[in-house]
């Protein structure tokens, strides 16, 4: 079953249009055009089942959600740790920060995962999970759910399950 953060914080009901900015990409070797496609697809999975709409902006001050890649200690309480371990983190509403560990072997749309790498991590799968956190979902106890706290490396898991949909629809 799905869960919320303590106090069940959400984005304000009147705010159905959320803007996101991809702000810090210099630490990672994926070009911005491909990052845009992956994040757009990940947001679209959540907008399809809620009244929320997401739009990319290049203006950081206008953005509700900021997405960036960082290495190691980067100014919040969640230091990144090199390959595997922590992959990414996102804060609860209405913080909007979504950080990814630049040290991961990220696989984005169109990449052929390096067959020799057991550490490849699918970027869209992680993005769909972290957007769930950005919107107010905690972890689910349902193993097939996107919000379940385990992802196998080299696996793509991007389809929302009934559990994820019921969770987000109870908030928005
Ligand atoms: N990062 C954790 C996560 O996003 C950070 C975290 C731990 C967290 N507890 C939390 C965030 C409670 C919000 C609320 O779950 S992670 C997965 C998994 C991670 C894990 O790097 O471990 C995914 C990031 F486990 F689900 F696969 C993305 Cl998809
Ligand atoms: Ca890591
Ligand atoms: Zn961070
Ligand atoms: Zn999580």
């Amino acid at each position: 079953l799905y869960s919320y953060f303590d106090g069940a914080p959400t984005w304000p009901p009147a705010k159905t249009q959320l803007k996101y900015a991809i702000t810090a990409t210099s630490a990672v070797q994926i070009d911005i055009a491909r990052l845009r496609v992956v994040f757009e697809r990940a947001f679209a999975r959540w907008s399809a089942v809620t009244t929320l709409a997401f739009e990319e902006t290049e203006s950081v001050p206008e953005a509700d959600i900021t997405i960036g890649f960082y290495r190691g200690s980067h100014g919040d309480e969640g230091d990144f740790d090199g390959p595997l371990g922590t992959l990414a983190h996102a804060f609860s509403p209405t913080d909007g920060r979504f950080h990814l560990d630049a040290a991961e072997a990220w696989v984005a749309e169109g990449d052929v995962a390096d067959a020799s790498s057991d550490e490849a991590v699918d970027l869209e799968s992680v993005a769909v999970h972290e957007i769930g956190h950005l919107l107010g979902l905690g972890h689910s106890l349902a193993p097939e759910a996107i919000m379940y706290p385990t992802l196998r490396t080299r696996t793509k898991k991007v389809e929302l399950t009934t559990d994820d949909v019921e969770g987000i629809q109870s908030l928005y």
Side-chain angles (χ1 to χ4, degrees):
L1 206 66
Y2 57 83
S3 71
Y4 311 126
F5 292 98
D6 284 347
T10 64
W11 293 86
K15 196 170 177 74
T16 57
Q17 171 86 54
L18 295 172
K19 293 188 177 164
Y20 65 92
I22 304 171
T23 62
T25 60
S26 57
V28 78
Q29 305 289 322
I30 311 173
D31 65 66
I32 182 72
R34 294 175 59 241
L35 290 175
R36 287 209 164 99
V37 171
V38 172
F39 290 119
E40 189 179 341
R41 288 176 54 119
F43 279 110
R45 294 179 188 278
W46 292 103
S47 61
V49 298
T50 59
T51 54
L52 299 169
F54 302 98
E55 188 192 347
E56 194 191 345
T57 175
E58 297 198 28
S59 160
V60 177
E62 274 183 27
D64 302 296
I65 294 167
T66 55
I67 304 171
F69 291 84
Y70 301 91
R71 279 178 201 273
S73 168
H74 57 278
D76 59 34
E77 55 276 29
D79 291 359
F80 287 139
D81 54 2
L84 301 182
T86 300
L87 309 171
H89 53 223
F91 294 81
S92 57
T94 53
D95 182 288
R97 281 175 294 168
F98 171 10
H99 296 165
L100 299 107
D101 189 343
E104 304 306 334
W106 294 111
V107 174
E109 205 60 26
D111 277 341
V112 179
D114 179 350
S116 68
S117 171
D118 291 333
E119 300 186 342
V121 181
D122 183 62
L123 179 60
E124 187 179 346
S125 303
V126 170
V128 175
H129 179 99
E130 296 304 332
I131 293 165
H133 288 318
L134 287 168
L135 298 179
L137 290 178
H139 285 146
S140 174
L141 298 174
E144 72 284 358
I146 288 288
M147 297 315 296
Y148 189 71
T150 305
L151 178 73
R152 271 187 291 278
T153 55
R154 305 174 54 79
T155 304
K156 190 166 175 134
K157 183 178 179 185
V158 295
E159 301 282 348
L160 300 183
T161 65
T162 308
D163 183 68
D164 300 302
V165 172
E166 286 176 357
I168 203 68
Q169 289 185 345
S170 69
L171 291 175
Y172 299 96

